Amino acid sequence: MIRTDLVSLIRELEKPMQLTNMPKTFRGYTLDEFQRESILRLRQGASVFVAAPTGSGKTLVADYVVEMARCSQKGVIYTAPIKALSNQKFKQFRDTYGEENVGLITGDVVRNEDAPVLLMTTEIFRNILFDYSRSLEDIAYVVFDEIHYIADEDRGFVWEESLIFLPEHMRFLGLSATIANGRELAQWMGTLRKEPVSVVEYRHRPVPLSHAYFAPGLGLADATQIDAYYRKLQPRDPFEEKGRGFPRPDHRELIDTLGLAYLPLLFFVFSRRGCEEHAYELAEGHNYLDEQEVRQVKEAVERHLWGRELRALGSVNRLAAIVERGIAYHHAGLLPACKELVEELFERRLIKVLYATETFAVGVNFPVRTVCFDSYTKYDGRGFRQLTVGEYFQMAGRAGRRGIDAEGFVYTMVDLNFYRPGEMEERVEDNIEPLWSQFDLTYNSVLNLTHRYRTPEQIRNVLERNFLVYQNQGQFQRLQGELDRMSRDVERFSAQRCPHYQENSCIETVQKARRQVDKLHRELANMRNRGNKGGRRRQILRQLHELDETIQGSSTYECSKKERSQCRTRERRLRRAQRRIRELEMLMGGILTGERLYEAFRMKQIFLEEIGYIEDGDLTARGRVAAGVYVQELLVTELLFEGVFHELSEDAINALAVSIDYEPRRDEPVQPWRLVDLTHVQELAAELALLEKRFLKEQRVRFHNGPHELAYRWSKGCSFAELMDQAKGLAEGDVVSAFRRGIDLLRQVRRISSGDELLQAKLSRAMKKMDRDVVEIRL
């Protein structure tokens, strides 16, 4: 039985392709012009890049692409930057198209991987392009949700490589938040593709935002009022540290000031502990739910939480208690089951106030009436800094429910103890910062490029196609243009220079010499008065003789004051132009060109040759294995070839897997080997890291055994409550995340171990021991 909406869409696809006859509604939503234009370009066979504000309805275009692919019996891949977003879209599409038609691949979770509609992280899609682990012949479209992640410092290269190696028969839809250089990004994409790449930019926000601040003693105010209030009250003693002694802002006071009319409210707090503390503080004196809503919350809690071994966890019980008051928190340290509960209740409007870290703003579409910020600064791993305009609107854009609110409200708390006048500029979406490429050459990339392309010229051509080189070429050309203008200025000013300039015949030179003579005579007289003689006196007499030659040596060219003024102005401009030329030459010398990128590639290639991964331009057995591993490929390959995975027990393998690529907290110490001894692995990782530093002056190998005992105990069957008693400050969600990354790694090792059935079976048993109870993802 064909669904009615599918029949309607098929009829739409048969019509001539003009904007006037594009569908005006889709799934009950009225389409905006930018959505209809995007659909038109896709139907015309173009790839499309869509940049629009958060909450404007970009994902509706993606949903249309999926529907369009299903109508034409073609496959479609939907990529997302985070697993949570992939999981959410998987559930949505599964409900729409049926379980048999939708699959999910996120590394640690694989469901129905041959389905025509596939959800996956962008890393998985990039890996498929490299290792051909799945045929893409049946795939017509790929959607890159949150494609502005191309500027992510650690992962941006994944999006670049995905676009560079995208098969010619596929079309892509890129969805991005508003960015300053969207057209530059799309133009670069156009250089990669044979089909046209259409740019659809939409600046209008369907629900306008109202922005204000909140400061203790002042209440709600704009930036000018905050400035005036601070200047009025700040200490007048210049030796007293400015701003000290102001009351700290209270989130409860802000929420109470706003009142119930501003709910639901999303409160961004830039620390996990802050999220939890704020939620518990608010719950002490507030309850936003009626009896019927409480019953609905209890039913959801029972369904999400109590079916697992979670009753013994105090943190889970505390969260369950406050959600019954319509209050919750959300951050990366939460257990997956708790995140799912909070997200469902928030979507159902049973959470009225949610405290969340900024990860909640990525992709997941949960609009509210009001967004609040605990601060306008955040710690970024290096220090505290102000939110960028892009970061601010990525979160603030959640305010304003389309079709419900006339406007969305955004309020930022200001702590005057740390305030500096004038630092809060007006937030304007047009001032969002441009994206900059973060292209990176991993060992995996170098190995795959070496395997795929046979000549240096081919590799050069591929490397020059990335966004980094494209941007740098544009920047180089702009600097070259300025350098050419400065050089012409220097040439013109030099040609106009007076022939007497800096010669003894120049009146300026003579007058300067006379002033110097007067100065030296005064110094000589002072020396006579003090009776000071010696080397300095002889030096002065020598200088006077030289200056006298300048003054008396030739006739002086007398010029007018106007000519002298013009001459001085021209010389200042000439010096400025010469200084700017030196600056431009230094800037241009530091730009990474395609040739320099190839040199970096060759350095890594030579390093891989030295350690036995490449020989005579081909991959060795080690190289072929490493080309199929996407996490710590060198370390994993060495462990495989040394037989470590064969020798270790299943429980020890799990302890090993979570330690590979584990990123420790600040000052987290290395743990002693008590339950399992992996000293040899630790030494091997240190040896590889030393080789990297010596040869490449960088370190990519990472091994830290912080969570290894937890993984070992869990693999042995320990309960999660008992495990957390040994966790030494690790958040429950971080423990689960480490375990799931270990499962992902073992799945990769199992895949590249094809032909070794005993090892594959062993790895499968190890994964099964980890993938249970709280750690298991239930979709």
Side-chain angles (χ1 to χ4, degrees):
M1 185 89 179
I2 300 178
R3 290 194 345 251
T4 306
D5 54 349
L6 278 176
V7 173
S8 299
L9 182 57
I10 290 170
R11 288 173 180 165
E12 289 290 346
L13 292 174
E14 292 171 348
K15 294 179 180 180
M17 290 180 289
Q18 298 177 5
L19 193 59
T20 53
N21 60 25
M22 283 295 100
K24 295 185 179 180
T25 61
F26 179 62
R27 292 185 178 169
Y29 295 97
T30 300
L31 297 177
D32 288 330
E33 186 172 337
F34 88 93
Q35 294 165 324
R36 297 173 67 208
E37 182 183 350
S38 302
I39 291 168
L40 171 64
R41 301 306 173 203
L42 287 162
R43 285 178 55 180
Q44 289 173 335
S47 288
V48 178
F49 170 73
V50 181
T54 304
S56 60
K58 297 186 293 292
T59 54
L60 206 58
V61 180
D63 292 347
Y64 191 95
V65 167
V66 175
E67 193 93 319
M68 194 164 64
R70 295 297 300 128
C71 289
S72 57
Q73 301 298 304
K74 296 289 187 180
V76 60
I77 290 176
Y78 193 113
T79 74
I82 58 173
K83 294 178 181 180
L85 184 53
S86 294
N87 295 345
Q88 183 196 38
K89 298 300 291 187
F90 170 74
K91 294 174 186 176
Q92 175 194 325
F93 290 142
R94 183 182 59 187
D95 293 343
T96 303
Y97 300 110
E99 191 163 354
E100 70 281 3
N101 292 314
V102 183
L104 175 68
I105 311 175
T106 58
D108 58 334
V109 176
V110 178
R111 299 279 193 279
N112 198 14
E113 57 186 316
D114 294 320
V117 179
L118 275 177
L119 288 301
M120 61 183 67
T121 56
T122 316
E123 278 86 353
I124 295 294
F125 180 68
R126 175 263 188 194
N127 298 349
I128 290 173
L129 293 174
F130 272 9
D131 61 27
Y132 309 105
S133 56
R134 185 200 191 279
S135 172
L136 298 174
E137 289 300 318
D138 59 325
I139 304 297
Y141 300 97
V142 59
V143 176
F144 294 107
D145 202 353
E146 308 284 341
I147 199 172
H148 50 268
Y149 261 73
I150 203 168
D152 184 86
E153 185 174 352
D154 298 318
R155 302 167 60 206
F157 73 94
V158 171
W159 278 259
E160 293 197 40
E161 291 184 344
S162 297
L163 287 161
I164 290 170
F165 296 106
L166 187 69
E168 287 184 7
H169 74 275
M170 292 175 65
R171 300 292 179 264
F172 73 83
L173 170 65
L175 304 178
S176 170
T178 304
I179 56 176
N181 56 335
R183 293 205 168 267
E184 179 188 38
L185 179 60
Q187 286 165 0
W188 165 70
M189 294 173 183
T191 66
L192 307 176
R193 308 295 299 167
K194 289 187 176 180
E195 80 276 7
V197 176
S198 296
V199 184
V200 180
E201 288 191 290
Y202 185 66
R203 297 282 179 169
H204 175 70
R205 188 173 285 281
V207 181
L209 298 181
S210 171
H211 306 267
Y213 298 91
F214 177 81
L218 180 62
L220 302 176
D222 60 27
T224 303
Q225 292 169 320
I226 295 282
D227 249 17
Y229 182 73
Y230 177 83
R231 294 178 191 279
K232 178 181 177 182
L233 297 181
Q234 69 174 331
R236 297 185 180 281
D237 185 351
F239 296 102
E240 182 179 345
E241 189 175 358
K242 291 186 177 182
R244 293 296 176 185
F246 288 108
R248 300 292 297 273
D250 191 318
H251 61 103
R252 293 165 296 187
E253 184 183 352
L254 171 55
I255 292 172
D256 289 341
T257 299
L258 295 174
L260 298 177
Y262 285 79
L263 303 181
L265 185 148
L266 178 56
F267 211 122
F268 284 106
V269 184
F270 299 111
S271 78
R272 298 177 181 183
R273 180 181 296 179
C275 283
E276 297 188 17
E277 290 177 350
H278 282 23
Y280 293 134
E281 288 169 357
L282 187 68
E284 288 176 2
H286 296 75
N287 186 351
Y288 296 108
L289 302 185
D290 58 32
E291 292 182 5
Q292 182 180 354
E293 289 173 322
V294 170
R295 283 195 297 272
Q296 294 175 34
V297 168
K298 287 182 175 179
E299 179 275 327
V301 169
E302 186 72 28
R303 179 163 36 83
H304 280 278
L305 303 183
W306 302 145
R308 309 188 186 199
E309 53 155 312
L310 296 175
R311 288 186 184 275
L313 294 174
S315 60
V316 175
N317 284 282
R318 289 193 296 273
L319 176 64
I322 66 171
V323 294
E324 292 182 16
R325 306 178 76 85
I327 301 164
Y329 53 86
H330 188 288
H331 56 68
L334 275 182
L335 287 169
C338 294
K339 288 182 189 175
E340 291 165 10
L341 170 68
V342 170
E343 289 167 9
E344 179 188 317
L345 294 178
F346 195 61
E347 189 173 18
R348 293 170 59 186
R349 301 298 175 223
L350 294 171
I351 298 296
K352 309 298 181 181
V353 178
L354 176 64
Y355 295 93
T357 55
E358 61 185 308
T359 54
F360 191 77
V362 179
V364 183
N365 184 24
F366 294 134
V368 293
R369 181 158 204 205
T370 306
V371 166
C372 294
F373 290 90
D374 186 56
S375 172
Y376 56 90
T377 62
K378 74 168 189 177
Y379 184 76
D380 63 2
R382 293 179 287 271
F384 284 93
R385 62 166 177 81
Q386 286 198 43
L387 295 175
T388 66
V389 178
E391 289 169 338
Y392 175 81
F393 277 100
Q394 179 75 19
M395 291 176 272
R398 300 295 170 192
R401 296 164 295 178
R402 191 168 186 174
I404 300 175
D405 301 321
E407 64 178 331
F409 300 93
V410 186
Y411 299 99
T412 303
M413 293 205 304
V414 179
D415 188 342
L416 296 175
N417 294 289
F418 302 98
Y419 178 70
R420 289 182 295 180
E423 69 179 356
M424 293 190 310
E425 298 179 357
E426 184 183 0
R427 301 286 187 177
V428 179
E429 209 156 0
D430 288 342
N431 293 338
I432 282 179
E433 301 81 5
L435 296 185
W436 288 98
S437 169
Q438 301 294 332
F439 188 78
D440 184 35
L441 275 173
T442 64
Y443 297 126
N444 181 276
S445 299
V446 172
L447 289 167
N448 277 288
L449 286 171
T450 301
H451 177 65
R452 183 176 289 203
Y453 301 101
R454 308 310 301 171
T455 67
E457 290 72 24
Q458 289 175 318
I459 293 173
R460 273 193 177 90
N461 290 338
V462 172
L463 290 174
E464 288 178 357
R465 297 177 72 196
N466 69 67
F467 189 38
L468 176 64
V469 171
Y470 183 86
Q471 284 190 305
N472 284 347
Q473 283 175 341
Q475 187 180 9
F476 191 92
Q477 289 168 1
R478 287 190 291 272
L479 294 176
Q480 183 66 57
E482 186 180 354
L483 179 63
D484 291 342
R485 290 194 299 274
M486 290 295 106
S487 299
R488 287 195 295 271
D489 285 347
V490 168
E491 187 177 342
R492 177 164 51 87
F493 293 143
S494 299
Q496 295 172 351
R497 175 180 270 175
C498 174
H500 300 282
Y501 178 71
Q502 288 187 334
E503 299 294 332
N504 290 347
S505 59
C506 176
I507 186 63
E508 289 281 321
T509 303
V510 172
Q511 289 178 347
K512 182 178 178 181
R514 286 170 178 166
R515 289 193 296 271
Q516 186 66 13
V517 166
D518 292 341
K519 180 180 177 182
L520 291 172
H521 275 303
R522 287 194 298 273
E523 184 178 350
L524 198 61
N526 289 334
M527 291 175 66
R528 281 197 294 269
N529 293 336
R530 291 195 304 267
N532 195 348
K533 298 179 181 180
R536 176 57 183 159
R537 176 183 175 84
R538 287 192 296 273
Q539 186 180 23
I540 291 174
L541 291 172
R542 221 172 16 251
Q543 287 179 281
L544 286 171
H545 178 72
E546 292 169 357
L547 290 169
D548 185 62
E549 287 182 351
T550 298
I551 295 170
Q552 305 296 334
S554 60
S555 60
T556 303
Y557 172 73
E558 294 289 343
C559 55
S560 66
K561 288 184 178 180
K562 181 178 179 181
E563 286 177 308
R564 271 181 272 174
S565 175
Q566 290 174 340
C567 187
R568 284 192 292 267
T569 300
R570 187 166 49 249
E571 289 303 317
R572 281 196 301 269
R573 290 177 177 172
L574 177 60
R575 287 193 297 271
R576 276 200 301 267
Q578 290 170 332
R579 185 167 59 248
R580 182 55 181 164
I581 285 175
R582 292 192 293 271
E583 292 172 356
L584 290 169
E585 288 172 343
M586 286 184 63
L587 288 171
M588 292 168 70
I591 288 177
L592 184 66
T593 60
E595 186 57 35
R596 287 180 183 166
L597 187 59
Y598 179 74
E599 291 171 6
F601 169 86
R602 277 295 296 148
M603 284 296 293
K604 283 192 171 67
Q605 198 177 47
I606 293 169
F607 173 67
L608 291 168
E609 289 170 356
E610 290 291 321
I611 62 175
Y613 284 65
I614 300 173
E615 185 177 331
D616 297 328
D618 287 324
L619 303 190
T620 63
R622 271 182 162 81
R624 288 192 294 274
V625 167
V629 179
Y630 304 102
V631 178
Q632 292 297 318
E633 50 269 45
L634 298 189
L635 179 57
V636 171
T637 300
E638 293 302 314
L639 294 176
L640 262 175
F641 274 79
E642 290 200 8
V644 172
F645 288 98
H646 294 80
E647 296 169 0
L648 293 177
S649 69
E650 293 156 15
D651 303 318
I653 285 175
N654 285 324
L656 168 64
V658 300
S659 302
I660 294 173
D661 204 44
Y662 174 71
E663 187 173 357
R665 298 163 295 166
R666 275 185 300 167
D667 304 322
E668 182 176 351
V670 173
Q671 300 297 318
W673 302 108
R674 291 179 292 225
L675 302 180
V676 58
D677 188 0
L678 299 174
T679 305
H680 171 62
V681 178
Q682 199 169 33
E683 291 171 350
L684 178 59
E687 183 181 341
L688 279 172
L690 185 61
L691 286 172
E692 286 182 303
K693 287 180 181 177
R694 284 178 178 172
F695 202 93
L696 299 173
K697 305 297 188 291
E698 65 179 39
Q699 181 180 337
R700 292 174 181 263
V701 172
R702 185 162 61 189
F703 181 85
H704 193 286
N705 71 346
H708 84 281
E709 281 194 8
L710 299 178
Y712 187 83
R713 292 177 187 276
W714 181 251
S715 184
K716 283 284 191 182
C718 173
S719 74
F720 196 77
E722 292 173 334
L723 195 72
M724 291 312 299
D725 290 338
Q726 309 292 324
K728 298 179 182 178
L730 278 176
E732 295 153 350
D734 290 337
V735 172
V736 171
S737 179
F739 289 179
R740 296 221 61 82
R741 284 196 299 271
I743 293 169
D744 183 5
L745 175 61
L746 293 183
R747 194 181 297 277
Q748 293 182 42
V749 176
R750 185 181 65 179
R751 180 176 52 78
I752 60 174
S753 301
S754 58
D756 190 340
E757 294 181 1
L758 287 177
L759 178 58
Q760 287 187 319
K762 185 180 186 180
L763 294 172
S764 295
R765 293 192 299 272
M767 286 189 285
K768 189 174 181 179
K769 284 187 169 186
M770 296 299 286
D771 199 10
R772 63 177 177 88
D773 301 325
V774 176
V775 176
E776 182 185 6
I777 298 294
R778 300 180 185 178
L779 296 167

